[in-house]
Amino acid sequence: MTEEKAQAYWKENIRTILSLLVVWFIVSLGAGVLFINQLNAIEISGVKLGFWFAQQGSIYAFVVLIFVYVYKMGKIDEKYGVSE
Amino acid sequence: MELQALIYIFVGISFSIYIAIAVWARAGSTKEFYVAGGGVPPVANGMATAADWMSAASFISLAGIIAFKGSDGGAYLMGWTGGYVLLAMLLAPYLRKFGKFTVPDFVGDRYYSDVARTIAVVCVIFISFTYVAGQMRGVGIVFSRFLQVDVNTGVMLGMGIVFIYSVLGGMKGITYTQVAQYVVMIFAFTVPAIFLSLQVTDTFLPQVGMFGQTAFEFSNGVQTIEKGTFLLHALDQSVNDLGFNNYTEPGSVFNMFMLTIVLMAGTAGLPHVIVRFFTVPTVKDARISAGWALVFIAIMYTTIASVAAFSRVNLIANVQNVDYKQFVNGELKKADGTTNDGNWFKTWEQGGLLAWNDRNGDGKIQYANGAAFAGKPAFDGTKTAEDGHRLTTNGAGAPTEAELKANNGIANEIYVDRDIMVLANPEIANLPNWVIALMAAGGLAAALSTAAGLLLVISASISHDLFGQVIFKDKATGKSTLTEKSELRLARGAAVVAILVAGYLGINPPGFVAQVVAFAFGLAAASFFPVIILGVFDKRMNKEGAIAGMSVGLTFTFVYIVYFVFMGGAKEDYLFGIAPTGIGTIGMIIHFVVAYFVSRATPPPPQEIQDLVESIRIPSGAGDAVDH
């Protein structure tokens, strides 16, 4: 693998990780902690939104995030011919 | 069938399975011993990781913590799951590509320094031992409660079982045993949770039931909560009436924020979790396996959150204003006509984890905010009052005006140890005996699987890193002078020593097991998490930066926790008001900053290290986990 290709691969990897980590931060530390009280004001049939994110929603989101990451990295690996 | 007989059967069957697996998967080489030969399929590895991760603390204590802390407890749920996202994206794939056996291996090789390697070994051993002490204690508690043996006998039994499958089987044995343990554990946790969910909210799935409506009417002592009220409203209303913080609102958003970060980074930096990702065949498998691990953990943790809410409601509904004598004798009826049997109250009182102090002398139990005892209840030997409750010597006196005013006329009279909530739940809810027996098998699986994983990490650090890579290192070739066979023998020996030390800590626990867990996470967040991330993502990071970062981050976190937790530092002196449990976040930031500036002021790492970093970043060609 050439050096430019390796660098391009690494850049794409970083971009993917960063975009997913932004979501990771928003659903957990954002919705579940920093803005929990504001979101708790929104209530849909007994579900207080902030509390839901802190105790349920963030966890489901984490699972989805990892599998999205696996999928996206799989595509990138294939594109650069580094998959196994 | 008798409860005791059922417990023997459930625990007996599950243990026979674990041991059979251990014998089948006996390790023959160091590679099988340390990383299961690197050939574990991702789903199995994910399940094993989940079992390894979910300790007695998760199984027994977490729901109790959340039940009493409410929203603040979310920090544990998010921290202990969100860390896997960091692990999957920032650590696991690269460490797998690096392809050695242990975390100190990575630190030592990447930073071309035995000083860094030795600091890492010390951290691994310290972090893992603090953790394992709590596990052995957990095993002891479960054994003593369910097999009715002494706590110390329970710890010895646990040591014996762990000995068989970690010393013989190594990582290979442990991994496949943990798959079985996960199945036992998740079954044991979800079945009672489903029963509870049906009982409290008429909903099958606990994750949904938590946001459902109550299936019965109950009195919280101040007012009657109608049937069909949303469970969270019923909880908020009741805890509010009784003078507690609202269940759905955090006490301090700032401290919850710091704690969540430390638990996330700490989770991703814990050596016994990281080492799991050395056991799968490829880099891709390492990513997927983190996903599977989180799936299996998420099933448990979302259930834990629900169980917490159910158990708090049940506690208030069942003990508030009940006559003690009639309650423990099973003579009381609930509003819907079923029996409110307080036998569990009596059982846990005997165990000393529950106590009642009839402060207003009305013969009835009251529950509200406030302390009914000065600290933990001190029992007056085996003396009991006329109605049969155990007498204590440090009970609070008659209710004060201020207390009654704050809690709507109710003064707290009971002490409930958080750790009993999960184990007592099936009994509080009057579930069938086999469900309780299942809990016993599940609690043991949780504690044993984690203890085994930790002991293996400790023994690998000693035999492989300390002896193999530092003490018996051939200066000329940089390789270990130990033969494969003698290193394997050394690893087994180290495992035996580790088990004995862990058993000793379980029998004579340092009085602060709960606090030292903060230690483990704080130190992992301030040491391994940053040092590995910088090693992968910052090619310019050199040994000077890494050593400086680790030392400063660790020392800061260590001193802060020791000062405020063990030396009685005053709350007013907290740095920016940060509790010691959350200080690892600051330690981590300091580590990053110090490492950056020191590395930029010193020469870059040698070319071969820069090439190593380049190769870690590309997934192909991971090959086997290589020996030195």
Side-chain angles (χ1 to χ4, degrees):
Chain A
M1 193 159 160
T2 64
E3 198 161 316
E4 296 91 73
K5 222 174 141 196
Q7 269 177 4
Y9 171 81
W10 187 242
K11 255 193 194 144
E12 242 181 277
N13 179 25
I14 299 271
R15 210 176 313 128
T16 311
I17 294 174
L18 280 182
S19 61
L20 292 172
L21 285 184
V22 168
V23 181
W24 166 84
F25 186 91
I26 293 172
V27 295
S28 56
L29 293 159
V33 185
L34 293 176
F35 299 104
I36 184 170
N37 289 328
Q38 286 82 342
L39 284 174
N40 269 346
I42 306 169
E43 190 179 329
I44 308 153
S45 67
V47 183
K48 286 189 174 178
L49 213 53
F51 182 79
W52 181 80
F53 267 108
Q55 304 222 337
Q56 299 278 317
S58 57
I59 303 177
Y60 301 133
F62 295 152
V63 174
V64 174
L65 279 173
I66 295 188
F67 282 103
V68 169
Y69 166 74
V70 170
Y71 175 77
K72 283 195 157 180
M73 286 311 290
K75 287 262 163 201
I76 297 175
D77 285 356
E78 249 169 56
K79 186 170 144 195
Y80 287 87
V82 292
S83 59
E84 288 182 281
Chain B
M1 208 171 179
E2 261 308 290
L3 175 58
Q4 210 51 43
L6 277 169
I7 289 175
Y8 284 128
I9 293 173
F10 276 62
V11 172
I13 292 177
S14 59
F15 277 28
S16 321
I17 296 174
Y18 308 152
I19 292 172
I21 293 174
V23 172
W24 166 71
R26 196 171 188 280
S29 65
T30 46
K31 200 171 140 195
E32 285 189 344
F33 193 88
Y34 294 140
V35 293
V40 181
V43 179
N45 188 53
M47 216 179 253
T49 309
D52 197 332
W53 174 241
M54 292 186 297
S55 57
S58 294
F59 192 93
I60 301 171
S61 312
L62 186 53
I65 292 176
I66 298 167
F68 290 109
K69 287 196 165 201
S71 195
D72 279 338
Y76 294 94
L77 292 168
M78 285 184 283
W80 287 345
T81 52
Y84 278 85
V85 178
L86 298 178
L87 194 62
M89 296 183 193
L90 304 177
L91 309 173
Y94 316 106
L95 289 174
R96 176 61 195 91
K97 175 63 196 298
F98 172 70
K100 293 281 177 65
F101 291 157
T102 66
V103 177
D105 257 346
F106 176 81
V107 176
D109 288 6
R110 165 65 181 82
Y111 296 112
Y112 46 101
S113 153
D114 279 344
V115 177
R117 191 190 303 270
T118 312
I119 297 178
V121 172
V122 172
C123 288
V124 167
I125 294 175
F126 186 78
I127 292 171
S128 304
F129 264 124
T130 44
Y131 228 89
V132 89
Q135 299 307 315
M136 295 316 280
R137 194 69 189 163
V139 176
I141 290 175
V142 180
F143 266 122
S144 73
R145 169 68 188 84
F146 288 112
L147 300 184
Q148 292 172 351
V149 294
D150 183 61
V151 175
N152 295 348
T153 318
V155 173
M156 307 269 213
L157 274 170
M159 282 164 64
I161 304 280
V162 173
F163 175 84
I164 292 175
Y165 61 76
S166 60
V167 173
L168 280 185
M171 187 57 125
K172 199 173 164 203
I174 284 182
T175 303
Y176 289 104
T177 316
Q178 281 171 336
V179 171
Q181 282 166 333
Y182 177 80
V183 176
V184 171
M185 189 191 313
I186 199 70
F187 196 63
F189 201 88
T190 47
V191 168
I194 290 169
F195 270 102
L196 277 174
S197 183
L198 285 170
Q199 202 178 48
V200 178
T201 64
D202 271 337
T203 316
F204 183 80
L205 273 183
Q207 286 83 345
V208 179
M210 179 182 180
F211 299 96
Q213 296 158 305
T214 53
F216 48 75
E217 130 185 341
F218 70 96
S219 162
N220 63 25
V222 177
Q223 59 176 305
T224 300
I225 304 289
E226 298 291 332
K227 178 179 167 175
T229 313
F230 283 115
L231 186 76
L232 290 178
H233 289 191
L235 257 177
D236 270 345
Q237 184 67 53
S238 300
V239 294
N240 218 338
D241 285 345
L242 300 176
F244 298 98
N245 229 358
N246 261 354
Y247 193 81
T248 55
E249 264 172 46
S252 152
V253 168
F254 178 63
N255 267 322
M256 186 178 171
F257 184 75
M258 301 306 270
L259 179 61
T260 309
I261 293 183
V262 106
L263 294 174
M264 284 173 165
T267 300
L270 279 178
H272 75 282
V273 177
I274 296 176
V275 73
R276 284 286 162 190
F277 297 94
F278 291 103
T279 63
V280 291
T282 65
V283 170
K284 194 167 185 199
D285 289 337
R287 297 181 193 136
I288 298 176
S289 149
W292 282 117
L294 190 58
V295 167
F296 296 123
I297 293 168
I299 297 173
M300 181 89 164
Y301 275 34
T302 50
T303 313
I304 286 176
S306 319
V307 167
F310 300 146
S311 60
R312 187 76 180 272
V313 166
N314 260 344
L315 180 73
I316 297 172
N318 290 0
V319 307
Q320 191 68 282
N321 278 330
V322 297
D323 182 283
Y324 178 85
K325 208 170 169 186
Q326 293 178 336
F327 181 49
V328 297
N329 288 334
E331 292 161 6
L332 290 177
K333 294 264 185 272
K334 291 184 198 167
D336 61 1
T338 54
T339 312
N340 181 12
D341 187 350
N343 190 34
W344 61 272
F345 198 95
K346 187 99 205 151
T347 317
W348 289 102
E349 208 188 332
Q350 297 303 342
L353 296 173
L354 195 67
W356 176 51
N357 166 19
D358 193 8
R359 294 168 65 194
N360 60 3
D362 65 353
K364 290 179 175 176
I365 300 168
Q366 269 96 32
Y367 172 61
N369 191 19
F373 301 89
K376 291 198 169 188
F379 291 98
D380 192 3
T382 52
K383 277 190 212 161
T384 54
E386 210 178 310
D387 56 16
H389 82 269
R390 288 186 73 182
L391 289 172
T392 50
T393 54
N394 64 344
T400 61
E401 281 298 322
E403 202 180 354
L404 291 173
K405 203 171 160 219
N407 303 343
N408 286 307
I410 300 177
N412 186 35
E413 296 185 340
I414 54 173
Y415 167 84
V416 186
D417 190 294
R418 287 167 179 170
D419 287 349
I420 73 171
M421 288 312 279
V422 165
L423 295 178
N425 240 328
E427 295 170 276
I428 299 178
N430 295 311
L431 298 184
N433 277 348
W434 65 268
V435 178
I436 301 169
L438 195 58
M439 285 303 278
L444 286 172
L448 290 175
S449 59
T450 309
L454 287 162
L455 289 167
L456 195 77
V457 166
I458 295 172
S459 84
S461 298
I462 295 172
S463 64
H464 180 73
D465 298 319
L466 205 60
F467 283 93
Q469 297 296 309
V470 180
I471 297 176
F472 286 98
K473 186 157 129 174
D474 188 330
K475 288 273 180 304
T477 60
K479 288 195 183 219
S480 165
T481 53
L482 288 171
T483 62
E484 156 111 8
K485 245 197 167 147
S486 54
E487 190 176 316
L488 187 59
R489 221 175 301 134
L490 204 56
R492 291 209 160 105
V496 172
V497 175
I499 289 173
L500 292 177
V501 176
Y504 175 82
L505 291 172
I507 291 170
N508 307 294
F512 40 80
V513 168
Q515 289 102 311
V516 285
V517 171
F519 244 149
F521 281 93
L523 295 183
S527 59
F528 291 128
F529 183 68
V531 88
I532 297 174
I533 290 211
L534 289 171
V536 175
F537 290 86
D538 182 13
K539 209 160 76 178
R540 177 68 176 70
M541 185 49 60
N542 57 12
K543 76 170 174 194
E544 290 83 359
I547 294 172
M550 273 204 288
S551 322
V552 177
L554 273 174
T555 313
F556 171 80
T557 311
F558 189 87
V559 169
Y560 195 89
I561 297 180
V562 167
Y563 179 71
F564 285 107
V565 176
F566 304 113
M567 291 168 54
K571 262 191 176 157
E572 292 72 44
D573 300 336
Y574 282 176
L575 180 70
F576 309 125
I578 301 169
T581 42
I583 199 64
T585 303
I586 303 295
M588 176 177 82
I589 293 169
I590 293 179
H591 181 150
F592 275 122
V593 172
V594 168
Y596 181 83
F597 284 107
V598 171
S599 71
R600 292 318 186 260
T602 44
Q607 191 56 44
E608 73 258 26
I609 297 298
Q610 302 198 22
D611 293 344
L612 170 75
V613 177
E614 287 292 343
S615 91
I616 289 174
R617 293 176 173 184
I618 307 295
S620 57
D624 289 343
V626 288
D627 198 357
H628 295 269

